[in-house]
Structure formats: C-alpha cells, structure tokens
Amino acid sequence: MNNEIQMVDLKSQYLKIKPEIDEALLNAVEGVAYINGPQVKQFANSLREFNKVASAVTCANGTDALQIAMMALDFKPGDEVIVPAFTYIATVEVIALLGLVPKFIDVIEDTFELDHTKLENLISDKTVGIIPVHLFGQCSNMEAILSIAKKHNIAVIEDTAQAMGAEYIFNDGSKLFAGTIGDIGTTSFFPSKNLGCFGDGGALLTQNIELGEKVHIIANHGQRKKYYHEAIGVNSRLDTIQAAILDIKLKYLNDYSFERQKVAKKYDELLNGLQGLNIPAKAPYSTHVYNQYTCRIENNRRDELKIYLQDKGIPTMIYYPVPVHLQDAYQVYGYKEGDFPVAEKLCKEVISFPIHTEMKAEVQDYIIENIIGFFN
Ligand SMILES: *Cc1c(COP(=O)(O)O)cnc(C)c1O
C-alpha cells in the first residue's frame, strides 16, 4: 500500500471521467483549431457563468494571469504593490518583472492570509495595488482589505490560484466566489490545482466588463483586431486542448471541492487536539476548498515528522520553506530576517498532508494513524 500514497492522485481522477475527456480530446485534435479553437471561448464562457462574474479571460498560466492583471490596471515601474511575504513565488515574481516594487506584509498565523491590520502602515502615495493570496484554498478577509483599498483608491488583485470554487461570505451573509470580489481575480489550471488541466493554463476574472476587455486584449498581443496593436501585450493563450479538458472538469469542480472537504473534515476530527500539532483554522468569512491541508507543527519537530512519515511511505510537502523576503533573488529589496516574524515562523512550522479528490478511506486512516503515532 505504501508505494501508492501520493500527495495528489491525478490518474484516478482522470480515470473516473475518462470517456468524456477522451472524446473531448479527440474532438479537439481532429478539429485542428489548436490555437483559439471554439473550445476556448466555450470554456471562458462556462468559467464566467460558474463564477457569476461579468468577464472571464483565459491565458497560458496563473503567473501570466497575475502579470496581465497588473498590466491591465496600468501599474507603472516604481509603483508599489503590497504582497504577503508568505506565498508562492509567482505572486511576487511578476511584480519584480514589471519593475514594480514589492512591499511585503506579514501574514496571520492561523489562516495564513495577509494581515490586514498592517496594511495602513504600508500604504504610501506610490501604492497602486494589494494582492491578497487565498492561500491553500480559503479566502482572505476581503471586506477588511477592500475597505482599506477603497479608502486609498488602490486596486485589489486576488491570487485565486489555490482557491477556485471557494466562496467569500460577507458580513450580511451574501456570498461571492473567490476571485470575483476585488478588481481582478487570477487563477491557475496547473494540474494539481483544484481545477487542473493536463498542462499549463490560467484565467482572469473581473466584474468590470471594460477591464475584462482590456485584459483580453493584453493577453493577445495587445490586439482587438488581428495585426492592429493598440496596447503592448503578451502572448498568453490557453490551448484549445486544455480548454476542452477544463470545460468538462469544471462541471465536477463542486464535487471535487466536496471530496477535498470530506478528507479535511476527517483529518480535522482525528488530528484535532494532538499536542504540538495545529490543524488549519477555518475563517468565518470563507468556505475552504483545501487545495492543501496544511498543519503547523510546534517545538521544531516539523522536519522530524516529515522524515518519520516518509519512512512509512507517506509523502508530505512544505509549502513554503522560505518566505519570499528572504529568498536570494529578492535580497535587492533590502529586507532581512526578523522583518516578518509570522511568515518566518510559518516556514519552519508548516507541513501539508496528502489531500485530493480520490482519497481512499483506508489510505487516509493509515496516514492519520502514523501522524498520531509520531506524537504519542
Ligand atoms: C500555482 C500558483 C501560481 C502560479 O500558477 P502557474 O499556473 O503555475 O503559473 C500563482 N500563485 C499561487 C498562490 C499559486 O499557488
């Protein structure tokens, strides 16, 4: 059994819907419209409807989506963008690539999201954007972030790469999908994301039709009409084949979220209360779609636990081992150890256990038994 345990089981997920996927793939291949085929428009439309949003534009990957968002919002070199120190590198990379200045912000220890109480202090007359990252599948506190952003006339880009399908719950009880609350939401269809394709893919969501149009133009070489370029753009397209696959998988996204939530619930119930382990906190203002099930391990025992489980054939991952402000490539911005104590602490404490849509009960039992075994 041990050899079978994986962080993510993409093979079983595919096999479950194989006939549908294979047919769509073959249609796409035989249709030969490999770039911008009808499947791309069809999927963009499905994605727009699913998220109840005014505009959905597909692109090549989630990193491009972030870049295109910042280009569409007219961020200029030297402008400052506030971004959590604890995130995947892509969020920060495009800020740097566009000549913008990342202003790191610390995160909240139990929900892993940017700490909105620290926002006001970071805002200067150069601040143009805030990028909340809905890390591991749960929304950041959007109402708190938006109220500050509105007050200072700052754009909000939601990095929704890990939270497609999660819902933000407003104080009045109304809900909106992650990525549809700020000015632009970006997402990724990397295979292990909650909605994953068979390669790279990404998309941008916005409630602003004009902005959506601009996003579309920028993602397509700055052209509305072929060979007439009204903006400096990029070449960032979702393949027809990937769109065909995604249009099918989107129909199952709610089921996938449900399966992930079931796995998380069982981990929660059986791991809660273990001395030295903290299960992931659930924010009252969001549903959680658990792209990752990430615990915090106290007393410097995280690495020991990882090796212990590895010896039992149980894979785990550390998302992320180094905060962005301490990465070699980002030293030019002048941050140092101690600047963001929570992010730094999390990098030493977090561990993600296997979670996916095809988890077998006996496999999860074995994983849980061994985690408990380590602490007892
Ligand atoms: C995966 C991911 C991205 C980048 O997506 P790609 O499609 O791999 O470019 C950006 N931000 C976060 C938080 C991610 O998890």
Side-chain angles (χ1 to χ4, degrees):
M1 175 168 93
N2 295 1
N3 289 338
E4 291 171 16
I5 304 180
Q6 294 167 282
M7 285 298 290
V8 180
D9 185 356
L10 296 176
K11 182 75 180 278
S12 303
Q13 194 188 56
Y14 160 59
L15 290 177
K16 235 183 203 166
I17 53 172
K18 183 177 186 313
E20 253 184 301
I21 293 278
D22 289 1
E23 191 192 342
L25 272 174
L26 202 58
N27 278 341
V29 171
E30 285 176 350
V32 304
Y34 302 130
I35 300 291
N36 284 336
Q39 290 90 336
V40 178
K41 213 172 208 165
Q42 155 94 32
F43 169 63
N45 204 37
S46 305
L47 190 66
R48 188 178 58 73
E49 282 176 2
F50 177 93
N51 284 292
K52 302 189 175 76
V53 77
S55 166
V57 178
T58 57
C59 67
N61 57 68
T63 310
D64 275 7
L66 284 158
Q67 178 175 340
I68 293 163
M70 291 182 221
M71 291 171 74
L73 289 164
D74 287 324
F75 292 2
K76 296 282 184 296
D79 287 348
E80 295 176 0
V81 179
I82 299 173
V83 62
F86 185 67
T87 181
Y88 181 53
I89 201 69
T91 324
V92 183
E93 194 165 41
V94 292
I95 296 173
L97 273 174
L98 291 174
L100 308 163
V101 181
K103 286 284 162 187
F104 295 116
I105 185 166
D106 212 349
V107 293
I108 298 175
E109 184 167 6
D110 63 349
T111 55
F112 310 114
E113 68 189 280
L114 73 76
D115 185 349
H116 61 85
T117 64
K118 302 204 157 72
L119 273 172
E120 288 274 6
N121 275 341
L122 279 174
I123 293 171
S124 78
D125 53 6
K126 287 188 179 159
T127 310
V128 292
I130 303 171
I131 311 189
V133 180
H134 303 319
L135 206 67
F136 305 144
Q138 178 169 252
C139 294
S140 309
N141 189 338
M142 290 304 293
E143 266 169 311
I145 295 165
L146 283 179
S147 80
I148 295 168
K150 280 213 179 92
K151 185 171 141 202
H152 297 274
N153 197 22
I154 295 168
V156 174
I157 300 171
E158 301 172 66
D159 184 341
T160 315
Q162 301 185 6
M164 187 69 350
E167 285 180 293
Y168 184 81
I169 306 159
F170 287 82
N171 280 326
D172 67 4
S174 63
K175 291 179 182 176
L176 283 178
F177 280 107
T180 72
I181 310 153
D183 294 277
I184 300 184
T186 64
T187 198
S188 163
F189 305 121
F190 184 84
S192 66
K193 308 288 185 185
N194 289 41
L195 177 62
C197 60
F198 292 2
D200 277 309
L204 301 96
L205 307 173
T206 176
Q207 299 287 11
N208 179 333
I209 299 238
E210 267 168 55
L211 190 56
E213 181 68 17
K214 204 164 162 194
V215 162
H216 182 75
I217 288 166
I218 288 170
N220 291 279
H221 290 299
Q223 65 192 359
R224 197 183 311 252
K225 192 171 152 205
K226 214 170 166 67
Y227 306 123
Y228 293 83
H229 306 275
E230 58 190 86
I232 295 175
V234 294
N235 174 18
S236 187
R237 295 182 289 234
L238 181 69
D239 287 344
T240 300
I241 284 176
Q242 303 302 347
I245 291 161
L246 286 165
D247 202 47
I248 290 166
K249 290 188 75 178
L250 181 58
K251 291 186 292 179
Y252 298 99
L253 181 57
N254 285 336
D255 296 340
Y256 291 159
S257 299
F258 179 73
E259 290 304 323
R260 288 174 178 277
Q261 286 160 351
K262 232 169 58 182
V263 175
K265 187 156 181 265
K266 183 162 165 176
Y267 275 136
D268 277 352
E269 281 167 8
L270 296 170
L271 298 180
N272 194 18
L274 270 188
Q275 202 64 38
L277 178 148
N278 298 288
I279 61 169
K282 284 215 280 287
Y285 40 77
S286 180
T287 64
H288 202 321
V289 293
Y290 295 100
N291 181 247
Q292 299 299 337
Y293 186 87
T294 303
C295 292
R296 289 177 290 125
I297 307 302
E298 295 168 8
N299 310 318
N300 265 319
R301 296 192 74 198
R302 192 267 314 271
D303 294 341
E304 197 190 326
L305 171 63
K306 183 170 177 51
I307 292 165
Y308 179 89
L309 294 174
Q310 197 172 297
D311 288 344
K312 312 273 182 192
I314 300 165
T316 57
M317 292 291 285
I318 308 302
Y319 302 115
Y320 298 93
V322 181
V324 184
H325 69 287
L326 298 182
Q327 295 282 357
D328 286 345
Y330 293 83
Q331 289 314 297
V332 290
Y333 296 106
Y335 292 92
K336 57 183 190 314
E337 200 156 351
D339 284 345
F340 304 105
V342 180
E344 290 166 24
K345 180 164 182 267
L346 285 177
C347 288
K348 297 190 175 90
E349 290 189 352
V350 288
I351 187 166
S352 301
F353 299 130
I355 190 164
H356 52 79
T357 60
E358 315 298 322
M359 179 71 84
K360 291 195 183 73
E362 63 270 25
V363 173
Q364 194 180 4
D365 289 340
Y366 175 77
I367 295 169
I368 291 169
E369 242 168 64
N370 280 287
I371 296 169
I372 293 172
F374 174 81
F375 286 97
N376 286 341

PDB file of all heavy atoms in Angstrom, residues 61-64 66 87-88 90-91 133 135 159 161-162 188-190 193 200-201 320, ligand 1:
ATOM      1  N   ASN A  61      -1.139  30.611 -18.100  1.00  0.00           N
ATOM      2  CA  ASN A  61      -0.856  30.065 -16.766  1.00  0.00           C
ATOM      3  C   ASN A  61      -1.199  31.115 -15.708  1.00  0.00           C
ATOM      4  O   ASN A  61      -1.483  32.270 -16.039  1.00  0.00           O
ATOM      5  CB  ASN A  61       0.615  29.618 -16.643  1.00  0.00           C
ATOM      6  CG  ASN A  61       1.580  30.748 -16.951  1.00  0.00           C
ATOM      7  OD1 ASN A  61       1.672  31.714 -16.206  1.00  0.00           O
ATOM      8  ND2 ASN A  61       2.280  30.649 -18.071  1.00  0.00           N
ATOM      9  N   GLY A  62      -1.129  30.714 -14.461  1.00  0.00           N
ATOM     10  CA  GLY A  62      -1.511  31.610 -13.375  1.00  0.00           C
ATOM     11  C   GLY A  62      -0.523  32.746 -13.148  1.00  0.00           C
ATOM     12  O   GLY A  62      -0.902  33.814 -12.662  1.00  0.00           O
ATOM     13  N   THR A  63       0.734  32.519 -13.485  1.00  0.00           N
ATOM     14  CA  THR A  63       1.736  33.577 -13.344  1.00  0.00           C
ATOM     15  C   THR A  63       1.482  34.675 -14.370  1.00  0.00           C
ATOM     16  O   THR A  63       1.500  35.865 -14.047  1.00  0.00           O
ATOM     17  CB  THR A  63       3.163  32.995 -13.514  1.00  0.00           C
ATOM     18  OG1 THR A  63       3.297  31.855 -12.674  1.00  0.00           O
ATOM     19  CG2 THR A  63       4.222  34.013 -13.155  1.00  0.00           C
ATOM     20  N   ASP A  64       1.224  34.267 -15.614  1.00  0.00           N
ATOM     21  CA  ASP A  64       0.852  35.241 -16.652  1.00  0.00           C
ATOM     22  C   ASP A  64      -0.395  36.015 -16.235  1.00  0.00           C
ATOM     23  O   ASP A  64      -0.497  37.213 -16.472  1.00  0.00           O
ATOM     24  CB  ASP A  64       0.538  34.530 -17.980  1.00  0.00           C
ATOM     25  CG  ASP A  64       1.795  34.259 -18.802  1.00  0.00           C
ATOM     26  OD1 ASP A  64       2.907  34.500 -18.283  1.00  0.00           O
ATOM     27  OD2 ASP A  64       1.656  33.825 -19.960  1.00  0.00           O
ATOM     28  N   LEU A  66      -1.394  36.916 -13.364  1.00  0.00           N
ATOM     29  CA  LEU A  66      -1.018  37.989 -12.436  1.00  0.00           C
ATOM     30  C   LEU A  66      -0.359  39.149 -13.183  1.00  0.00           C
ATOM     31  O   LEU A  66      -0.646  40.313 -12.943  1.00  0.00           O
ATOM     32  CB  LEU A  66      -0.059  37.435 -11.374  1.00  0.00           C
ATOM     33  CG  LEU A  66      -0.706  36.583 -10.281  1.00  0.00           C
ATOM     34  CD1 LEU A  66       0.324  35.658  -9.634  1.00  0.00           C
ATOM     35  CD2 LEU A  66      -1.339  37.473  -9.219  1.00  0.00           C
ATOM     36  N   THR A  87       3.939  33.300   0.490  1.00  0.00           N
ATOM     37  CA  THR A  87       3.135  32.915  -0.667  1.00  0.00           C
ATOM     38  C   THR A  87       4.029  32.163  -1.643  1.00  0.00           C
ATOM     39  O   THR A  87       5.242  32.062  -1.441  1.00  0.00           O
ATOM     40  CB  THR A  87       2.518  34.148  -1.379  1.00  0.00           C
ATOM     41  OG1 THR A  87       1.727  33.721  -2.494  1.00  0.00           O
ATOM     42  CG2 THR A  87       3.594  35.095  -1.900  1.00  0.00           C
ATOM     43  N   TYR A  88       3.421  31.658  -2.712  1.00  0.00           N
ATOM     44  CA  TYR A  88       4.200  31.070  -3.794  1.00  0.00           C
ATOM     45  C   TYR A  88       4.902  32.203  -4.536  1.00  0.00           C
ATOM     46  O   TYR A  88       4.368  33.306  -4.652  1.00  0.00           O
ATOM     47  CB  TYR A  88       3.274  30.288  -4.730  1.00  0.00           C
ATOM     48  CG  TYR A  88       3.996  29.626  -5.878  1.00  0.00           C
ATOM     49  CD1 TYR A  88       5.079  28.790  -5.638  1.00  0.00           C
ATOM     50  CD2 TYR A  88       3.607  29.855  -7.190  1.00  0.00           C
ATOM     51  CE1 TYR A  88       5.758  28.191  -6.694  1.00  0.00           C
ATOM     52  CE2 TYR A  88       4.268  29.252  -8.242  1.00  0.00           C
ATOM     53  CZ  TYR A  88       5.346  28.427  -7.994  1.00  0.00           C
ATOM     54  OH  TYR A  88       6.007  27.848  -9.026  1.00  0.00           O
ATOM     55  N   ALA A  90       5.405  33.047  -7.524  1.00  0.00           N
ATOM     56  CA  ALA A  90       4.804  33.659  -8.718  1.00  0.00           C
ATOM     57  C   ALA A  90       4.148  35.003  -8.412  1.00  0.00           C
ATOM     58  O   ALA A  90       4.224  35.940  -9.212  1.00  0.00           O
ATOM     59  CB  ALA A  90       3.775  32.712  -9.329  1.00  0.00           C
ATOM     60  N   THR A  91       3.515  35.089  -7.242  1.00  0.00           N
ATOM     61  CA  THR A  91       2.802  36.315  -6.874  1.00  0.00           C
ATOM     62  C   THR A  91       3.743  37.524  -6.888  1.00  0.00           C
ATOM     63  O   THR A  91       3.365  38.617  -7.302  1.00  0.00           O
ATOM     64  CB  THR A  91       2.184  36.179  -5.464  1.00  0.00           C
ATOM     65  OG1 THR A  91       1.731  34.845  -5.270  1.00  0.00           O
ATOM     66  CG2 THR A  91       1.010  37.118  -5.289  1.00  0.00           C
ATOM     67  N   VAL A 133      -3.598  36.731  -1.273  1.00  0.00           N
ATOM     68  CA  VAL A 133      -3.465  35.380  -1.834  1.00  0.00           C
ATOM     69  C   VAL A 133      -4.387  34.473  -1.016  1.00  0.00           C
ATOM     70  O   VAL A 133      -4.246  34.392   0.204  1.00  0.00           O
ATOM     71  CB  VAL A 133      -2.006  34.883  -1.731  1.00  0.00           C
ATOM     72  CG1 VAL A 133      -1.873  33.487  -2.308  1.00  0.00           C
ATOM     73  CG2 VAL A 133      -1.053  35.859  -2.438  1.00  0.00           C
ATOM     74  N   LEU A 135      -4.585  31.611   0.138  1.00  0.00           N
ATOM     75  CA  LEU A 135      -3.649  30.503   0.253  1.00  0.00           C
ATOM     76  C   LEU A 135      -4.302  29.213   0.762  1.00  0.00           C
ATOM     77  O   LEU A 135      -5.081  29.247   1.715  1.00  0.00           O
ATOM     78  CB  LEU A 135      -2.492  30.910   1.175  1.00  0.00           C
ATOM     79  CG  LEU A 135      -1.177  30.175   0.946  1.00  0.00           C
ATOM     80  CD1 LEU A 135      -0.566  30.523  -0.408  1.00  0.00           C
ATOM     81  CD2 LEU A 135      -0.184  30.491   2.052  1.00  0.00           C
ATOM     82  N   ASP A 159      -5.138  36.679  -5.815  1.00  0.00           N
ATOM     83  CA  ASP A 159      -4.458  35.498  -6.353  1.00  0.00           C
ATOM     84  C   ASP A 159      -5.266  34.274  -5.900  1.00  0.00           C
ATOM     85  O   ASP A 159      -5.185  33.843  -4.750  1.00  0.00           O
ATOM     86  CB  ASP A 159      -3.015  35.433  -5.849  1.00  0.00           C
ATOM     87  CG  ASP A 159      -2.254  34.264  -6.475  1.00  0.00           C
ATOM     88  OD1 ASP A 159      -2.898  33.324  -6.980  1.00  0.00           O
ATOM     89  OD2 ASP A 159      -1.005  34.292  -6.448  1.00  0.00           O
ATOM     90  N   ALA A 161      -5.228  31.228  -7.326  1.00  0.00           N
ATOM     91  CA  ALA A 161      -4.686  30.004  -7.917  1.00  0.00           C
ATOM     92  C   ALA A 161      -5.005  28.755  -7.081  1.00  0.00           C
ATOM     93  O   ALA A 161      -5.165  27.669  -7.617  1.00  0.00           O
ATOM     94  CB  ALA A 161      -3.169  30.131  -8.106  1.00  0.00           C
ATOM     95  N   GLN A 162      -5.126  28.934  -5.762  1.00  0.00           N
ATOM     96  CA  GLN A 162      -5.362  27.770  -4.904  1.00  0.00           C
ATOM     97  C   GLN A 162      -6.794  27.699  -4.385  1.00  0.00           C
ATOM     98  O   GLN A 162      -7.108  26.838  -3.567  1.00  0.00           O
ATOM     99  CB  GLN A 162      -4.382  27.811  -3.716  1.00  0.00           C
ATOM    100  CG  GLN A 162      -2.918  27.808  -4.165  1.00  0.00           C
ATOM    101  CD  GLN A 162      -1.941  27.724  -2.999  1.00  0.00           C
ATOM    102  OE1 GLN A 162      -2.324  27.550  -1.850  1.00  0.00           O
ATOM    103  NE2 GLN A 162      -0.647  27.824  -3.315  1.00  0.00           N
ATOM    104  N   SER A 188      -5.020  29.682 -11.729  1.00  0.00           N
ATOM    105  CA  SER A 188      -4.141  28.766 -12.452  1.00  0.00           C
ATOM    106  C   SER A 188      -4.850  27.425 -12.623  1.00  0.00           C
ATOM    107  O   SER A 188      -5.591  26.996 -11.740  1.00  0.00           O
ATOM    108  CB  SER A 188      -2.862  28.555 -11.633  1.00  0.00           C
ATOM    109  OG  SER A 188      -2.168  27.408 -12.075  1.00  0.00           O
ATOM    110  N   PHE A 189      -4.599  26.797 -13.772  1.00  0.00           N
ATOM    111  CA  PHE A 189      -5.134  25.445 -14.001  1.00  0.00           C
ATOM    112  C   PHE A 189      -4.017  24.415 -14.038  1.00  0.00           C
ATOM    113  O   PHE A 189      -4.131  23.374 -14.681  1.00  0.00           O
ATOM    114  CB  PHE A 189      -5.954  25.418 -15.304  1.00  0.00           C
ATOM    115  CG  PHE A 189      -7.057  26.439 -15.344  1.00  0.00           C
ATOM    116  CD1 PHE A 189      -7.095  27.398 -16.349  1.00  0.00           C
ATOM    117  CD2 PHE A 189      -8.039  26.462 -14.371  1.00  0.00           C
ATOM    118  CE1 PHE A 189      -8.103  28.356 -16.382  1.00  0.00           C
ATOM    119  CE2 PHE A 189      -9.053  27.416 -14.391  1.00  0.00           C
ATOM    120  CZ  PHE A 189      -9.085  28.362 -15.397  1.00  0.00           C
ATOM    121  N   PHE A 190      -2.899  24.728 -13.377  1.00  0.00           N
ATOM    122  CA  PHE A 190      -1.809  23.770 -13.177  1.00  0.00           C
ATOM    123  C   PHE A 190      -2.449  22.458 -12.685  1.00  0.00           C
ATOM    124  O   PHE A 190      -3.427  22.498 -11.929  1.00  0.00           O
ATOM    125  CB  PHE A 190      -0.855  24.358 -12.127  1.00  0.00           C
ATOM    126  CG  PHE A 190       0.378  23.562 -11.869  1.00  0.00           C
ATOM    127  CD1 PHE A 190       1.493  23.691 -12.679  1.00  0.00           C
ATOM    128  CD2 PHE A 190       0.426  22.675 -10.794  1.00  0.00           C
ATOM    129  CE1 PHE A 190       2.643  22.948 -12.427  1.00  0.00           C
ATOM    130  CE2 PHE A 190       1.573  21.930 -10.540  1.00  0.00           C
ATOM    131  CZ  PHE A 190       2.683  22.064 -11.360  1.00  0.00           C
ATOM    132  N   LYS A 193      -3.878  22.021  -9.128  1.00  0.00           N
ATOM    133  CA  LYS A 193      -4.807  22.989  -8.542  1.00  0.00           C
ATOM    134  C   LYS A 193      -6.202  22.354  -8.470  1.00  0.00           C
ATOM    135  O   LYS A 193      -6.454  21.315  -9.070  1.00  0.00           O
ATOM    136  CB  LYS A 193      -4.851  24.268  -9.380  1.00  0.00           C
ATOM    137  CG  LYS A 193      -3.498  24.881  -9.675  1.00  0.00           C
ATOM    138  CD  LYS A 193      -2.829  25.539  -8.476  1.00  0.00           C
ATOM    139  CE  LYS A 193      -1.550  26.213  -8.963  1.00  0.00           C
ATOM    140  NZ  LYS A 193      -0.734  26.797  -7.925  1.00  0.00           N
ATOM    141  N   ASP A 200      -0.311  23.448 -18.624  1.00  0.00           N
ATOM    142  CA  ASP A 200      -0.440  24.772 -18.018  1.00  0.00           C
ATOM    143  C   ASP A 200      -1.695  25.487 -18.503  1.00  0.00           C
ATOM    144  O   ASP A 200      -2.137  25.289 -19.636  1.00  0.00           O
ATOM    145  CB  ASP A 200       0.779  25.632 -18.382  1.00  0.00           C
ATOM    146  CG  ASP A 200       1.966  25.369 -17.471  1.00  0.00           C
ATOM    147  OD1 ASP A 200       1.777  25.409 -16.238  1.00  0.00           O
ATOM    148  OD2 ASP A 200       3.072  25.104 -17.987  1.00  0.00           O
ATOM    149  N   GLY A 201      -2.239  26.320 -17.658  1.00  0.00           N
ATOM    150  CA  GLY A 201      -3.391  27.130 -18.036  1.00  0.00           C
ATOM    151  C   GLY A 201      -3.669  28.146 -16.948  1.00  0.00           C
ATOM    152  O   GLY A 201      -3.216  27.986 -15.815  1.00  0.00           O
ATOM    153  N   TYR A 320       5.544  26.924   2.521  1.00  0.00           N
ATOM    154  CA  TYR A 320       6.751  27.060   1.740  1.00  0.00           C
ATOM    155  C   TYR A 320       7.913  27.101   2.710  1.00  0.00           C
ATOM    156  O   TYR A 320       7.742  27.614   3.813  1.00  0.00           O
ATOM    157  CB  TYR A 320       6.661  28.326   0.891  1.00  0.00           C
ATOM    158  CG  TYR A 320       5.499  28.236  -0.091  1.00  0.00           C
ATOM    159  CD1 TYR A 320       4.249  28.746   0.264  1.00  0.00           C
ATOM    160  CD2 TYR A 320       5.630  27.571  -1.312  1.00  0.00           C
ATOM    161  CE1 TYR A 320       3.157  28.612  -0.615  1.00  0.00           C
ATOM    162  CE2 TYR A 320       4.552  27.451  -2.181  1.00  0.00           C
ATOM    163  CZ  TYR A 320       3.316  27.960  -1.825  1.00  0.00           C
ATOM    164  OH  TYR A 320       2.246  27.816  -2.658  1.00  0.00           O
TER     165      TYR A 320
HETATM  166  C1  LIG B   1       0.206  27.925  -8.706  1.00  0.00           C
HETATM  167  C2  LIG B   1       0.221  29.313  -8.207  1.00  0.00           C
HETATM  168  C3  LIG B   1       0.505  30.406  -9.044  1.00  0.00           C
HETATM  169  C4  LIG B   1       1.019  30.269 -10.441  1.00  0.00           C
HETATM  170  O1  LIG B   1       0.310  29.493 -11.292  1.00  0.00           O
HETATM  171  P1  LIG B   1       1.036  28.833 -12.565  1.00  0.00           P
HETATM  172  O2  LIG B   1      -0.100  28.379 -13.406  1.00  0.00           O
HETATM  173  O3  LIG B   1       1.884  27.723 -12.073  1.00  0.00           O
HETATM  174  O4  LIG B   1       1.836  29.905 -13.243  1.00  0.00           O
HETATM  175  C5  LIG B   1       0.388  31.685  -8.519  1.00  0.00           C
HETATM  176  N1  LIG B   1       0.052  31.881  -7.232  1.00  0.00           N
HETATM  177  C6  LIG B   1      -0.207  30.867  -6.397  1.00  0.00           C
HETATM  178  C7  LIG B   1      -0.599  31.164  -4.990  1.00  0.00           C
HETATM  179  C8  LIG B   1      -0.107  29.551  -6.839  1.00  0.00           C
HETATM  180  O5  LIG B   1      -0.355  28.547  -5.988  1.00  0.00           O
END
